[in-house]
Amino acid sequence: MKRSDDPRHLKRQAVVKNLYAQELNPSTIPLPTTAKILPHLKTIDRLIVTCAPEWPLSQINRVDLSILRLAVYELKFKTSTPPKVVIDEAVELAKTYGSESSPGFINGALGAVLKLL
């Protein structure tokens, strides 16, 4: 059973919030995991654009984009976590922080990323 107080889930929440803060204010101090993601943003964003072509980055909700960036980083660069877990966690974060349509969008985009990788 999933628990909302799971340390890995709480760490992902903090990273998503920090990625969002970085988007709004680039001088925000990055968390260690965020600092690992930032150098890969161009590669991550290209994957997102490829896998969700109907949504240019500028039109993706900033919270959804932060969740996608973390999940794509985990799928492509931090491959120790099983893809199913990464996608499930991203969908859960979208349910908590995104809009009503966010979980479906996140799930579809990450499914496409997984196929591409």
Side-chain angles (χ1 to χ4, degrees):
M1 174 191 265
K2 271 192 263 187
R3 295 180 13 214
S4 61
D5 63 343
D6 180 300
R8 293 169 293 194
H9 182 73
L10 295 175
K11 182 178 177 184
R12 283 186 178 98
Q13 282 181 331
V15 171
V16 166
K17 290 176 182 178
N18 194 236
L19 282 167
Y20 180 78
Q22 284 284 323
E23 183 77 18
L24 298 178
N25 181 4
S27 65
T28 301
I29 298 171
L31 295 172
T33 302
T34 305
K36 292 177 185 174
I37 295 170
L38 293 175
H40 300 288
L41 275 186
K42 285 185 181 180
T43 303
I44 291 168
D45 287 352
R46 275 195 301 268
L47 271 170
I48 293 169
V49 167
T50 300
C51 294
E54 65 281 358
W55 290 98
L57 285 181
S58 62
Q59 291 183 0
I60 297 176
N61 175 310
R62 298 292 111 186
V63 172
D64 292 352
L65 183 58
S66 297
I67 294 168
L68 283 171
R69 285 173 168 168
L70 171 59
V72 171
Y73 170 78
E74 287 188 289
L75 290 171
K76 182 161 177 67
F77 299 103
K78 186 184 169 207
T79 57
S80 60
T81 306
K84 183 177 178 179
V85 172
V86 171
I87 293 172
D88 187 53
E89 280 288 328
V91 169
E92 288 302 315
L93 288 167
K95 287 178 184 175
T96 302
Y97 297 107
S99 67
E100 191 175 296
S101 61
S102 293
F105 171 68
I106 298 285
N107 189 48
L110 292 178
V113 168
L114 189 58
K115 286 180 186 176
L116 193 65
L117 296 177

